[in-house]
Every structure is written in C-alpha cells, then in structure tokens.
Amino acid sequence: MTMRFSFGYGFDLNMLQTFNDIARTGDEVGFDMMGTGCTPALKGEIFVGLSQIAQATKNCRVNSFIINPVTWHPVMMACGFSTIDAMSNGRAVLGM
C-alpha cells in the first residue's frame, strides 16, 4: 500500500514568495497533491493561486480543495480548470 500525502493552504497576497516556496518544497519532498481554496474577500483569487502552484511544481497534482459552485458559474469553473490543467500538464483536480 502506498501512502499519499496532500495539503492545501490559503493564497495570501501578502506572502506570494512564501506561497510559491511552500508549493515547490511540497513537490520536492513528494507530496501527491497541493491546492488552495476559494475564499472570496479573504484570500487571493483561486485560479491565480492554482496557477502559482502549477508553475512552482512539476510532479504533484494541483487541486482546489474547495470552490463554491454558487458563486462560480460552471462555464467559468470549466475555463479556469482547463487552463490550470494545461499549465500543469494534466495535473489539475477539481474539488467542490
């Protein structure tokens, strides 16, 4: 049995370098999946955060640990995730 580890963290606009460093380090030590969530008015925009994770990593899956289908139109979610999937070479995972 293989153990898989993942984690998510808030996309803090005041700590962009730290956000990228956490993603890079998690990927380097073997985390299977890393993500951020949709927290309107509290943190940065989810797809910008996911794109940062996609760019900072090479191996782990990139996921939204929560996205609100009430505040995000399904077409906009599909557009955002297809972009993240392309940026991450097929590593995007949608979490609702």
Side-chain angles (χ1 to χ4, degrees), residues 2-89:
T2 301
M3 300 225 18
R4 295 182 180 196
F5 294 95
S6 64
F7 70 93
Y9 52 106
F11 179 45
D12 190 336
L13 297 173
N14 296 314
M15 299 179 69
L16 295 176
Q17 187 60 51
T18 300
F19 186 84
N20 291 335
D21 291 345
I22 291 169
R24 188 174 304 102
T25 301
D27 190 51
E28 289 171 356
V29 300
F31 276 82
D32 180 60
M33 187 163 44
M34 300 173 57
T36 193
C38 181
T39 55
L42 297 177
K43 298 287 183 182
E45 199 271 337
I46 188 170
F47 292 109
V48 175
L50 292 173
S51 71
Q52 294 292 107
I53 294 171
Q55 290 179 332
T57 61
K58 294 182 177 131
N59 302 303
C60 66
R61 293 178 292 164
V62 179
N63 80 306
S64 64
F65 56 84
I66 186 168
I67 189 165
N68 187 342
V70 174
T71 58
W72 278 92
H73 189 279
V75 171
M76 297 307 293
M77 278 195 283
C79 179
F81 277 99
S82 66
T83 301
I84 299 305
D85 198 53
M87 290 179 71
S88 67
N89 295 315

